[in-house]
Amino acid sequence: MTTHTVRPDSILDALAIELPSWAFGNSGTRFKVFGTPGTPRTIQEKIADAATVHRLTGLAPAVALHIPWDTVDSYTELKSYAADLGVRLGTVNSNTFQDDEYKFGSLTHTDKTVRQRAIDHHLRCLEIMTEIGSQDLKVWLADGTNYPGQGDIRGRQDRLAESLAAIYQHVGEGQRLVLEYKFFEPAFYVTDVPDWGTSYAHTVALGDRAAVCLDTGHHAPGTNIEFIVAQLLRLGKLGSFDFNSRFYADDDLIVGAADPFQLFRILFEVIRGGGLAPDSDLALMLDQCHNVEAKIPGQIRSVLNVQEMTLRAALVDTAALTAAQETGDVLAANGIFMDAFYTDVRPQLASWREGRGLPADPMRAYAESGYQEKIEAERVGGTQTSWGA
Amino acid sequence: MTTHTVRPDSILDALAIELPSWAFGNSGTRFKVFGTPGTPRTIQEKIADAATVHRLTGLAPAVALHIPWDTVDSYTELKSYAADLGVRLGTVNSNTFQDDEYKFGSLTHTDKTVRQRAIDHHLRCLEIMTEIGSQDLKVWLADGTNYPGQGDIRGRQDRLAESLAAIYQHVGEGQRLVLEYKFFEPAFYVTDVPDWGTSYAHTVALGDRAAVCLDTGHHAPGTNIEFIVAQLLRLGKLGSFDFNSRFYADDDLIVGAADPFQLFRILFEVIRGGGLAPDSDLALMLDQCHNVEAKIPGQIRSVLNVQEMTLRAALVDTAALTAAQETGDVLAANGIFMDAFYTDVRPQLASWREGRGLPADPMRAYAESGYQEKIEAERVGGTQTSWGA
Amino acid sequence: MTTHTVRPDSILDALAIELPSWAFGNSGTRFKVFGTPGTPRTIQEKIADAATVHRLTGLAPAVALHIPWDTVDSYTELKSYAADLGVRLGTVNSNTFQDDEYKFGSLTHTDKTVRQRAIDHHLRCLEIMTEIGSQDLKVWLADGTNYPGQGDIRGRQDRLAESLAAIYQHVGEGQRLVLEYKFFEPAFYVTDVPDWGTSYAHTVALGDRAAVCLDTGHHAPGTNIEFIVAQLLRLGKLGSFDFNSRFYADDDLIVGAADPFQLFRILFEVIRGGGLAPDSDLALMLDQCHNVEAKIPGQIRSVLNVQEMTLRAALVDTAALTAAQETGDVLAANGIFMDAFYTDVRPQLASWREGRGLPADPMRAYAESGYQEKIEAERVGGTQTSWGA
Amino acid sequence: MTTHTVRPDSILDALAIELPSWAFGNSGTRFKVFGTPGTPRTIQEKIADAATVHRLTGLAPAVALHIPWDTVDSYTELKSYAADLGVRLGTVNSNTFQDDEYKFGSLTHTDKTVRQRAIDHHLRCLEIMTEIGSQDLKVWLADGTNYPGQGDIRGRQDRLAESLAAIYQHVGEGQRLVLEYKFFEPAFYVTDVPDWGTSYAHTVALGDRAAVCLDTGHHAPGTNIEFIVAQLLRLGKLGSFDFNSRFYADDDLIVGAADPFQLFRILFEVIRGGGLAPDSDLALMLDQCHNVEAKIPGQIRSVLNVQEMTLRAALVDTAALTAAQETGDVLAANGIFMDAFYTDVRPQLASWREGRGLPADPMRAYAESGYQEKIEAERVGGTQTSWGA
């Protein structure tokens, strides 16, 4: 129970977490998508909700788009609209899994025409990024197969490499392609980018403007995620995070909800590897599904969880830790590590917020703001957005 | 490579596998449901497809219904319709996961009114069973919670027990309630019937007309399913199977596709425990999703897989096996077991089929039958059925 | 961040955790067992170490024995020896996995003679229990098979039931047989008591003096252990805990080290289900391996972890929680639950200790006590105990 | 049930599988190592056993050594001894996990002196390789940590890279360093080379004489191993295999015993990626533990399993498969794939053997050879070898 010299205010000030536009729309499982009053019908309404999260927390200055879900006529106007609400447009997520022609793959499809369509979609995303000043093109592919023999594993990798290269040559200065990997789902036998090794190998082959996107829910059971974080930072290839949590598969629960200590360990390695340093271009993003809980406070809870764990991770007495590690004192080293995790940082964060004109308790502030009642009253009619629209 | 005295013809003759009506409708993941030409718009069309599978294989004399997906005005008429096509209506599957009021539970809900609605739905299913002469009411619940603290785990069990008891007292003579368990999904923290132990404890408490339903895809990674089969048969509580296969989670792939040897081991224990004996009331059923493959031949492939593996399992030289087991000759015992698995039973099964006036190769027979072309031409317009309709 | 009315002092006062004698001996993996200075050579030295843990924490009044590892000539003398050091002898753990004849099973062996030997060993354990006044006979079996076909799964269950019944009839008044289950290891295909359902079914068949032992490390990946706790308490069959933690398999790490939040959830259900109530006979025990960390402080750290989490679990505002659950306010319910978890209870526990004449910081007190230096100096020569001796 | 044009005789003729010397010694779990009559006391006896496997199968022309377990005074003599028995000495496996100083790491240790000792051990292995004409230095490290905070994940990677580089500069022409990865055990929190990505990144950094070793048992649950095979072959970095099988963790069961279809898929990708082509330098090796089964026939069974599955994999009608894949005919593609798997190749292999003067049934030939009786009679006294000696 050492008292730490708290220097991590600079880390807190630098912390910024992108919100995904789709987290404000409806989501669910293959069994059922439950609708909720007040759910946005448009990307503008999604941005308004995201801006509310930022206004109350000071943590979420950017909103990620999903194309074509968030397609608009004028991206310049959308950018201004967001700016007026105090946020900017962030990562652009491509989508090549909801058109019939992608049933058997997109960038990996055996049919060159289909591959080109998928490539073109990514080029369009890059154009949008230029229009809105976005840094990252995030490529998550649903490509894969369900049955042994259905596809040629090797051939699919070769085509993937070729397609990615075709996209990459249009990645402009100040832009990046981040390639997300996923263990399974929607493909149930082979996922074409199943692990960090695959994403790493492809992004190394592409070049410096390509990096890996790590979604915390996209791993095999038991995978040590903080190791991957440490390794990718070491290799200079950790581009971005999709934060969420899970007990079983890609459950997309609120970040930190399932295993808070894992989130602590991950953020410790992020800091250890320089991921929150001034010169870092690591992007932090949420990617969650609020299937049964309220969406806007769900996002507030999420960014607060990341903030709380970041502060705990920053509190680790690294000098003492190193000393204990070097003497092989396992219990002392673990004790120093756990001491930071068990420190209740909530009072300190409430002060930090008040010092910046933010509400001490953003969850309560949202509940008392009347915003939820307002959108439930106003957003009547139309079609609530969800993953499919 | 011993030659076996083949007595398992009686087992082959007795083998019957129920087809789920919903396997002929569209299905998919939370990301996308792909439609396919020829997909049924009505329960009648689903039954016609199922009857086609039976006509070509002789293995699938019954069709399971899902209520309310397969609701009709007259179940007597539906029964006749099926009979005219050569099949009967089988297990009735209840559904309490697609109404808004079930968002936080059905039989376990904290609100007594909601619980009663869910109970009433099951009573309605029992009435339908009486009308169509069905034996089994299959209860699979989506009930559960996504976040620690969201629900009272213990209280939910108590309410579940109470609700099941209320249903059970209406289970008539010759009827059974089979309670399915599932590891996770759609709930991502607690599933209210997560494992066989829970289903067993509840069905023991209910009485002799209750038993466990084992879905092969509903287990934790690495679970030894054949052990559960052996145990439940020993305890007299294995009511039915939902067959499918998986690499990761509840992938609902074609049975035997992911791990044929596991299917062999399961069927060996089924036979060993008397599950295919004349006096057994064990019900075998498929429960799969043909997301990317053709549905009708997908079902044909599935029942053939079960048949092939059943024959292999029946070929195990059990006398020699017992002798090897008792002398602790691990390699000999394993060798005897594997010998049956590695035996190519397909020629023998082709003969069996021809001896019964069935096509030797049902997959080819379907492809050449013109049925697919016919339904694609005829089933135009209307709304293709899927999980949601 | 509510302030709770802290009533859980009674729970703290009642908390008692048995220490396993073998935790003070050397342990390791199949690759290597590292010895450490000061490791006990005798059961007496193990008890002395355990008594030290209790003296510093007030949490560990009993020591569990492992027979034959802890065989002595006079158990009455051993009992007195322990009493003089301020602890008592607790659970007796049987061992039927280190004799050559048990290579292919003990209570499940095909050879009746071997089974009888294993039964006799348990009867001997019951006699020892009577001599030392121990309540629980813990049966953990290494029985199982490595290869499909090696053993008859069903036959092994039948023999297991028969052997357990033979033991059970000698379980005296005030005694219990607790049957531990384990997912795998040392058997790699079938474990004869692999899951709680199997242990439950056997102990129900045996009678009221039999119950289930839950080892937190003995589950499939992703298993929701707190659900099992809640279910077994509801069914009246949770006999005891073997506490430890794991990232992968049965890693036997310090309890709470791998997933502190899981320990919190488990202890919440223990309290919720009455497991720490005055009339509960639930036994809490550690079962860990200190392969690389110091053993005595490893045990101190472990009992402190259980104590800290118990207090956190007791802090949950259950009235508010129930209210939130009943209104379906997922975020509020989860928030109330997490609030207790994130509360830093260490200052409160330091006060509790000081109020009972215990050192405020037992880890530091041990380091400063000179005990470690003393045993390292004194325990020279002889053979250090480990799992095999 | 197509008939295939069988061209895979060339593949069969090329197939060669290294046997690990330690498979002939005793092995077990942390709970118990069972000894067996006839177990070798010396490396010479191990080689004699391995040569017996090769004499009966024609599949196992090389024996891998483990240093220091197989240390001898004269490696030249050992080489001659092996040659006289018809086999050669193969891969040299380093061992840095059984000395006390490696308790907290070897190549990754914080202490430079310890690291240097570990480096020196590898240099000694390289010398031995030169003496015996061995190609591969296999580096498997037990390095890792058991508790969060125990070690600096990032620092350990940096030291690993440095140590490997120090070894690599002594890897001579015609020699390779193959770096094995392992998910967990004996380390239970972080393994310093946990996945193929890590091994790949390190071996790419080292250079062309470094490659990845894939042990089939060293993955997270559900990992698609054939994907990794395909990917590493594509990247030119698959150096060697350690074959075995598992149901749960690193069970080290007989290859093909737990999931024969997985072995089939792996070997299909090996062939697909050129791993059995004339110019391939991919090394196939067994790495198993015969804890409960007879060791020599266990090795025979293992190489036969690899051979049988290789032939099945070679039987896949790849032209038809490609056609089905390109038309998106999932069931046809899967059917073609499964057809090869379900083909009983045992008669064909018996013929192949007889054509080469080998016994048609090597398992039977061994049983009838009298070899086992001979070694049981002769190998009396001395100390049976096991992992620790």
Side-chain angles (χ1 to χ4, degrees):
Chain A
M1 281 167 289
T2 18
T3 312
H4 303 282
T5 323
V6 185
R7 320 131 298 155
D9 259 27
S10 63
I11 280 179
L12 285 185
D13 289 341
L15 193 66
I17 306 151
E18 269 192 47
L19 305 186
S21 68
W22 55 96
F24 299 96
N26 292 321
S27 63
T29 68
R30 58 176 172 157
F31 294 97
K32 172 70 176 175
V33 174
F34 292 99
T36 43
T39 296
R41 285 89 40 96
T42 64
I43 175 62
Q44 286 80 7
E45 290 179 354
K46 292 179 190 173
I47 292 173
D49 290 356
T52 302
V53 174
H54 185 50
R55 197 167 55 244
L56 295 172
T57 63
L59 288 169
V63 187
L65 302 182
H66 213 294
I67 303 296
W69 294 346
D70 297 327
T71 304
V72 290
D73 289 337
S74 165
Y75 289 94
T76 340
E77 282 179 25
L78 195 69
K79 185 184 174 182
S80 301
Y81 174 83
D84 290 347
L85 291 172
V87 293
R88 61 180 172 77
L89 303 179
T91 299
V92 170
N93 295 261
S94 64
N95 176 325
T96 59
F97 52 87
Q98 295 195 316
D99 292 323
D100 282 343
E101 67 185 336
Y102 297 138
K103 185 173 182 178
F104 297 115
S106 62
L107 296 181
T108 67
H109 202 287
T110 51
D111 183 336
K112 194 176 169 50
T113 317
V114 178
R115 290 204 300 279
Q116 191 58 49
R117 283 251 315 173
I119 291 167
D120 290 345
H121 173 67
H122 286 91
L123 301 188
R124 175 67 189 124
C125 289
L126 285 169
E127 289 170 7
I128 294 172
M129 285 165 59
T130 304
E131 289 183 63
I132 61 176
S134 163
Q135 176 191 241
D136 288 344
L137 170 63
K138 192 198 299 164
V139 182
W140 173 71
L141 298 172
D143 291 40
T145 55
N146 278 9
Y147 290 98
Q150 178 188 334
D152 177 19
I153 295 176
R154 168 64 178 271
R156 296 176 73 93
Q157 285 303 306
D158 293 339
R159 293 190 293 273
L160 173 62
E162 197 182 287
S163 297
L164 286 172
I167 297 165
Y168 184 76
Q169 61 182 347
H170 293 87
V171 173
E173 195 153 0
Q175 291 184 332
R176 301 190 304 177
L177 181 161
V178 291
L179 181 60
E180 188 166 339
Y181 60 93
K182 186 172 184 184
F183 187 49
F184 79 97
E185 194 213 21
F188 293 131
Y189 167 55
V190 163
T191 297
D192 290 317
V193 191
D195 49 27
W196 78 264
T198 296
S199 182
Y200 172 69
H202 280 292
T203 54
V204 163
L206 291 173
D208 286 347
R209 293 179 186 173
V212 177
C213 173
L214 186 159
D215 183 300
T216 48
H218 290 190
H219 301 86
T223 300
N224 185 322
I225 298 174
E226 59 268 28
F227 176 88
I228 300 174
V229 170
Q231 183 69 279
L232 283 171
L233 282 169
R234 176 181 169 268
L235 296 166
K237 277 292 185 187
L238 184 61
S240 63
F241 269 100
D242 269 8
F243 278 121
N244 50 55
S245 76
R246 51 72 77 90
F247 286 98
Y248 303 98
D250 186 31
D251 307 341
D252 278 332
L253 301 178
I254 287 175
V255 54
D259 188 347
F261 183 44
Q262 183 188 57
L263 180 58
F264 172 81
R265 300 191 311 262
I266 288 172
L267 288 166
F268 178 80
E269 292 304 327
V270 167
I271 295 171
R272 167 67 179 88
L276 294 182
D279 61 341
S280 169
D281 58 0
L282 177 65
L284 308 184
M285 204 182 107
L286 302 182
D287 184 10
Q288 306 179 158
C289 293
H290 302 302
N291 296 352
V292 297
E293 70 274 19
K295 298 172 204 315
I296 299 172
Q299 293 282 293
I300 294 174
R301 177 74 276 157
S302 302
V303 296
L304 295 181
N305 281 357
V306 174
Q307 186 186 39
E308 291 179 14
M309 281 303 164
T310 302
L311 180 51
R312 283 186 181 88
L315 289 179
V316 173
D317 184 340
T318 52
L321 184 65
T322 301
Q325 289 170 347
E326 292 187 351
T327 55
D329 191 339
V330 177
L331 289 170
N334 178 248
I336 291 159
F337 199 70
M338 299 310 293
D339 181 31
F341 176 68
Y342 284 134
T343 301
D344 192 343
V345 298
R346 293 174 297 177
Q348 182 176 345
L349 285 169
S351 302
W352 180 87
R353 276 181 212 109
E354 288 178 324
R356 275 144 196 83
L358 294 163
D361 182 346
M363 290 293 282
R364 173 177 304 209
Y366 179 75
E368 295 172 351
S369 71
Y371 187 84
Q372 188 67 34
E373 294 74 7
K374 181 166 164 290
I375 60 176
E376 291 188 15
E378 289 177 2
R379 295 177 185 172
V380 175
T383 305
Q384 295 191 336
T385 57
S386 76
W387 280 17
Chain B
M1 280 167 287
T2 18
T3 312
H4 303 283
T5 324
V6 184
R7 320 134 296 155
D9 259 27
S10 63
I11 280 178
L12 284 184
D13 288 341
L15 194 65
I17 305 151
E18 269 192 46
L19 305 186
S21 67
W22 56 96
F24 299 96
N26 292 321
S27 62
T29 68
R30 59 176 171 157
F31 294 98
K32 170 72 176 173
V33 174
F34 291 99
T36 45
T39 296
R41 286 86 43 94
T42 63
I43 175 62
Q44 286 80 7
E45 290 179 356
K46 292 179 190 173
I47 291 173
D49 290 357
T52 302
V53 174
H54 185 49
R55 196 167 56 244
L56 295 171
T57 64
L59 288 169
V63 186
L65 303 182
H66 214 293
I67 302 297
W69 294 345
D70 297 328
T71 303
V72 290
D73 289 337
S74 165
Y75 289 94
T76 341
E77 282 179 25
L78 195 70
K79 185 184 173 183
S80 301
Y81 173 83
D84 290 347
L85 291 171
V87 293
R88 61 180 172 77
L89 303 178
T91 299
V92 170
N93 295 262
S94 63
N95 176 324
T96 57
F97 52 88
Q98 296 193 317
D99 292 323
D100 282 342
E101 65 185 338
Y102 297 138
K103 186 173 181 178
F104 297 115
S106 63
L107 295 181
T108 66
H109 202 287
T110 51
D111 184 336
K112 193 176 170 50
T113 317
V114 179
R115 290 204 302 278
Q116 191 58 49
R117 284 250 317 172
I119 291 168
D120 290 345
H121 173 67
H122 287 90
L123 300 189
R124 176 66 191 128
C125 289
L126 285 168
E127 288 172 6
I128 294 172
M129 285 166 58
T130 303
E131 289 184 64
I132 61 176
S134 164
Q135 175 189 242
D136 289 345
L137 170 63
K138 191 198 299 162
V139 182
W140 173 71
L141 298 172
D143 293 40
T145 53
N146 277 8
Y147 289 97
Q150 178 188 336
D152 177 19
I153 294 176
R154 168 65 178 269
R156 295 177 74 93
Q157 285 302 306
D158 293 338
R159 293 190 294 273
L160 173 62
E162 197 181 286
S163 297
L164 287 172
I167 297 166
Y168 184 74
Q169 61 182 348
H170 293 87
V171 174
E173 197 155 355
Q175 291 185 333
R176 300 190 305 178
L177 182 163
V178 292
L179 181 60
E180 188 166 339
Y181 60 92
K182 186 171 184 184
F183 187 50
F184 80 96
E185 194 214 20
F188 293 132
Y189 167 54
V190 164
T191 298
D192 290 316
V193 191
D195 50 27
W196 78 264
T198 296
S199 183
Y200 172 70
H202 280 292
T203 55
V204 163
L206 290 175
D208 285 347
R209 294 180 187 172
V212 177
C213 173
L214 187 159
D215 183 299
T216 47
H218 290 188
H219 300 86
T223 299
N224 185 322
I225 297 174
E226 58 269 29
F227 176 88
I228 300 174
V229 170
Q231 184 68 278
L232 282 172
L233 283 169
R234 177 180 168 270
L235 296 167
K237 278 291 185 189
L238 184 60
S240 63
F241 269 101
D242 270 9
F243 278 122
N244 49 57
S245 75
R246 50 72 76 88
F247 287 98
Y248 304 98
D250 187 31
D251 306 343
D252 278 330
L253 301 178
I254 286 175
V255 55
D259 187 348
F261 183 44
Q262 183 187 57
L263 180 59
F264 172 81
R265 301 191 311 262
I266 289 172
L267 288 166
F268 178 79
E269 293 304 327
V270 167
I271 295 171
R272 167 68 179 89
L276 294 183
D279 61 341
S280 168
D281 59 358
L282 177 66
L284 307 183
M285 204 182 108
L286 301 181
D287 184 11
Q288 305 179 157
C289 293
H290 302 302
N291 295 352
V292 298
E293 69 274 20
K295 298 172 205 313
I296 298 171
Q299 293 280 292
I300 294 174
R301 178 72 277 157
S302 301
V303 295
L304 295 179
N305 281 358
V306 175
Q307 187 185 40
E308 291 179 14
M309 279 304 163
T310 301
L311 180 53
R312 284 187 181 87
L315 288 178
V316 173
D317 184 340
T318 52
L321 183 65
T322 301
Q325 288 170 346
E326 292 186 350
T327 55
D329 191 338
V330 176
L331 290 170
N334 179 247
I336 291 160
F337 199 72
M338 299 310 293
D339 181 29
F341 176 68
Y342 285 132
T343 302
D344 192 343
V345 298
R346 293 173 298 177
Q348 182 176 345
L349 284 169
S351 302
W352 179 88
R353 277 183 210 109
E354 289 178 325
R356 275 144 194 85
L358 294 162
D361 181 347
M363 291 293 283
R364 174 176 304 207
Y366 179 75
E368 294 172 353
S369 71
Y371 186 85
Q372 187 67 35
E373 294 74 6
K374 182 167 162 289
I375 59 176
E376 292 188 12
E378 289 177 3
R379 296 177 184 170
V380 175
T383 305
Q384 296 191 337
T385 56
S386 76
W387 280 18
Chain C
M1 279 168 288
T2 18
T3 311
H4 303 282
T5 323
V6 184
R7 318 133 299 156
D9 259 27
S10 63
I11 281 178
L12 285 185
D13 288 340
L15 193 66
I17 305 150
E18 267 191 48
L19 305 186
S21 68
W22 56 96
F24 299 96
N26 292 321
S27 63
T29 68
R30 58 176 172 157
F31 294 98
K32 172 70 175 174
V33 174
F34 292 98
T36 45
T39 295
R41 287 88 41 95
T42 64
I43 175 62
Q44 286 80 8
E45 290 179 353
K46 291 180 191 173
I47 291 173
D49 290 357
T52 302
V53 174
H54 184 51
R55 197 167 56 244
L56 295 172
T57 63
L59 288 170
V63 186
L65 302 182
H66 214 293
I67 303 296
W69 294 345
D70 297 328
T71 304
V72 290
D73 290 336
S74 164
Y75 289 94
T76 340
E77 282 179 24
L78 195 69
K79 185 183 173 182
S80 302
Y81 174 82
D84 290 347
L85 290 172
V87 293
R88 61 179 172 76
L89 303 178
T91 299
V92 170
N93 294 262
S94 64
N95 176 323
T96 58
F97 53 88
Q98 295 194 316
D99 293 323
D100 281 343
E101 66 185 338
Y102 297 138
K103 185 172 182 180
F104 297 115
S106 63
L107 296 181
T108 67
H109 201 287
T110 51
D111 184 334
K112 194 176 169 49
T113 316
V114 179
R115 289 204 301 279
Q116 190 59 49
R117 284 251 314 173
I119 292 168
D120 290 345
H121 172 67
H122 286 90
L123 300 189
R124 175 68 191 127
C125 289
L126 285 169
E127 288 171 7
I128 294 172
M129 285 165 59
T130 304
E131 289 184 62
I132 62 176
S134 163
Q135 176 189 241
D136 289 344
L137 170 63
K138 193 198 297 166
V139 182
W140 172 72
L141 299 171
D143 292 41
T145 53
N146 278 9
Y147 290 97
Q150 178 189 335
D152 178 18
I153 295 176
R154 167 65 176 270
R156 295 176 74 93
Q157 285 302 306
D158 293 339
R159 293 191 293 273
L160 173 61
E162 198 182 286
S163 297
L164 287 173
I167 297 165
Y168 184 75
Q169 60 182 348
H170 293 86
V171 173
E173 196 154 359
Q175 290 185 333
R176 301 189 305 177
L177 182 163
V178 291
L179 181 59
E180 188 166 338
Y181 59 92
K182 186 172 184 184
F183 187 49
F184 79 98
E185 194 213 22
F188 293 132
Y189 167 54
V190 164
T191 297
D192 290 317
V193 191
D195 50 27
W196 77 264
T198 295
S199 182
Y200 172 70
H202 280 292
T203 54
V204 163
L206 291 174
D208 285 348
R209 293 179 187 173
V212 177
C213 173
L214 186 159
D215 183 300
T216 48
H218 290 189
H219 301 86
T223 299
N224 186 321
I225 297 174
E226 59 268 28
F227 176 88
I228 300 174
V229 170
Q231 183 69 280
L232 282 171
L233 282 170
R234 177 180 168 269
L235 295 166
K237 278 292 185 189
L238 184 61
S240 62
F241 269 100
D242 270 8
F243 278 121
N244 50 55
S245 75
R246 50 73 77 87
F247 287 98
Y248 304 97
D250 186 31
D251 307 341
D252 278 331
L253 302 178
I254 286 176
V255 53
D259 187 347
F261 183 43
Q262 183 188 55
L263 180 59
F264 172 80
R265 300 191 311 262
I266 288 172
L267 288 166
F268 178 80
E269 293 303 327
V270 167
I271 296 172
R272 167 66 179 88
L276 294 183
D279 62 340
S280 168
D281 59 357
L282 177 66
L284 308 184
M285 203 182 108
L286 301 182
D287 184 12
Q288 305 180 158
C289 292
H290 302 302
N291 296 352
V292 297
E293 69 273 21
K295 298 172 206 313
I296 299 172
Q299 292 281 293
I300 294 173
R301 178 74 275 155
S302 301
V303 296
L304 295 180
N305 281 357
V306 174
Q307 186 185 40
E308 291 179 13
M309 280 302 164
T310 301
L311 180 52
R312 283 187 181 88
L315 288 178
V316 172
D317 184 341
T318 51
L321 184 64
T322 302
Q325 288 170 346
E326 292 187 351
T327 54
D329 191 338
V330 177
L331 290 170
N334 179 247
I336 290 160
F337 199 71
M338 300 309 293
D339 180 30
F341 176 68
Y342 284 133
T343 301
D344 192 342
V345 298
R346 294 174 295 178
Q348 181 176 345
L349 285 169
S351 301
W352 179 87
R353 276 181 212 110
E354 289 179 325
R356 274 143 194 86
L358 295 162
D361 182 345
M363 291 292 282
R364 173 176 305 208
Y366 179 75
E368 295 172 352
S369 70
Y371 186 85
Q372 187 67 34
E373 293 75 7
K374 183 168 164 288
I375 60 176
E376 292 188 13
E378 289 178 1
R379 296 178 185 170
V380 175
T383 305
Q384 296 192 335
T385 57
S386 75
W387 280 19
Chain D
M1 282 166 287
T2 17
T3 311
H4 303 283
T5 322
V6 184
R7 321 131 296 153
D9 260 26
S10 63
I11 280 179
L12 285 184
D13 288 341
L15 193 65
I17 305 151
E18 268 191 48
L19 305 186
S21 67
W22 56 96
F24 299 97
N26 293 320
S27 63
T29 67
R30 57 175 171 158
F31 294 98
K32 172 71 176 172
V33 174
F34 292 99
T36 45
T39 295
R41 286 89 39 95
T42 64
I43 175 61
Q44 287 79 7
E45 290 179 355
K46 292 180 191 175
I47 292 172
D49 290 357
T52 303
V53 174
H54 184 50
R55 196 167 55 245
L56 295 172
T57 63
L59 287 169
V63 186
L65 302 181
H66 213 293
I67 303 297
W69 295 345
D70 297 327
T71 304
V72 291
D73 289 337
S74 165
Y75 290 94
T76 339
E77 283 179 25
L78 195 69
K79 185 183 173 184
S80 302
Y81 174 82
D84 289 347
L85 291 171
V87 293
R88 60 178 172 77
L89 303 177
T91 299
V92 170
N93 295 261
S94 63
N95 175 324
T96 58
F97 52 88
Q98 294 193 317
D99 292 324
D100 282 342
E101 66 185 337
Y102 297 137
K103 185 172 182 178
F104 298 115
S106 63
L107 296 181
T108 66
H109 202 287
T110 51
D111 183 335
K112 193 176 170 47
T113 318
V114 179
R115 290 203 301 279
Q116 190 59 48
R117 284 249 317 170
I119 292 167
D120 289 345
H121 172 67
H122 287 90
L123 301 189
R124 176 65 190 129
C125 289
L126 285 169
E127 288 171 6
I128 294 172
M129 286 165 58
T130 304
E131 288 184 64
I132 61 176
S134 164
Q135 177 191 239
D136 289 344
L137 169 64
K138 192 198 300 164
V139 182
W140 172 71
L141 299 172
D143 292 39
T145 54
N146 278 7
Y147 290 98
Q150 178 188 335
D152 177 19
I153 296 177
R154 166 65 177 269
R156 295 177 74 92
Q157 286 302 306
D158 293 339
R159 294 190 293 272
L160 174 61
E162 197 182 286
S163 297
L164 287 172
I167 297 165
Y168 184 75
Q169 62 182 347
H170 293 87
V171 174
E173 196 154 358
Q175 291 184 333
R176 300 190 305 177
L177 182 162
V178 291
L179 181 60
E180 188 166 339
Y181 60 93
K182 185 172 186 183
F183 187 48
F184 79 97
E185 195 216 18
F188 294 132
Y189 167 54
V190 164
T191 298
D192 289 317
V193 191
D195 50 27
W196 77 262
T198 296
S199 182
Y200 172 70
H202 280 291
T203 54
V204 163
L206 290 174
D208 285 347
R209 293 179 186 172
V212 177
C213 173
L214 186 159
D215 183 299
T216 49
H218 290 188
H219 300 86
T223 300
N224 186 322
I225 297 174
E226 59 268 29
F227 176 88
I228 299 174
V229 170
Q231 183 69 278
L232 283 172
L233 283 169
R234 176 180 170 269
L235 296 167
K237 277 292 183 188
L238 184 60
S240 62
F241 269 100
D242 270 8
F243 278 122
N244 50 55
S245 76
R246 49 72 76 92
F247 287 98
Y248 304 99
D250 186 31
D251 306 341
D252 278 330
L253 301 178
I254 287 175
V255 56
D259 187 348
F261 182 44
Q262 183 187 55
L263 180 59
F264 172 81
R265 301 192 310 263
I266 288 171
L267 288 166
F268 178 81
E269 293 303 328
V270 168
I271 297 172
R272 167 67 179 88
L276 296 183
D279 61 340
S280 168
D281 58 359
L282 177 66
L284 307 184
M285 202 181 110
L286 301 183
D287 184 10
Q288 305 179 158
C289 292
H290 301 302
N291 296 351
V292 298
E293 70 273 21
K295 299 173 204 313
I296 299 171
Q299 293 282 292
I300 295 174
R301 178 73 275 158
S302 301
V303 295
L304 295 180
N305 281 358
V306 174
Q307 187 185 38
E308 291 179 16
M309 279 303 163
T310 302
L311 181 51
R312 284 187 180 88
L315 289 177
V316 172
D317 184 342
T318 52
L321 184 64
T322 301
Q325 288 170 347
E326 292 187 350
T327 55
D329 191 338
V330 177
L331 290 169
N334 179 247
I336 290 160
F337 198 71
M338 299 310 293
D339 182 30
F341 176 68
Y342 284 133
T343 301
D344 192 343
V345 297
R346 292 172 298 176
Q348 182 175 345
L349 285 169
S351 303
W352 179 86
R353 277 181 212 109
E354 288 178 325
R356 275 146 195 85
L358 295 162
D361 182 346
M363 290 293 283
R364 174 177 305 208
Y366 178 75
E368 294 171 352
S369 71
Y371 186 86
Q372 187 68 35
E373 293 75 7
K374 181 166 165 289
I375 60 175
E376 292 188 12
E378 290 178 3
R379 296 178 184 171
V380 175
T383 305
Q384 296 192 335
T385 57
S386 75
W387 281 17

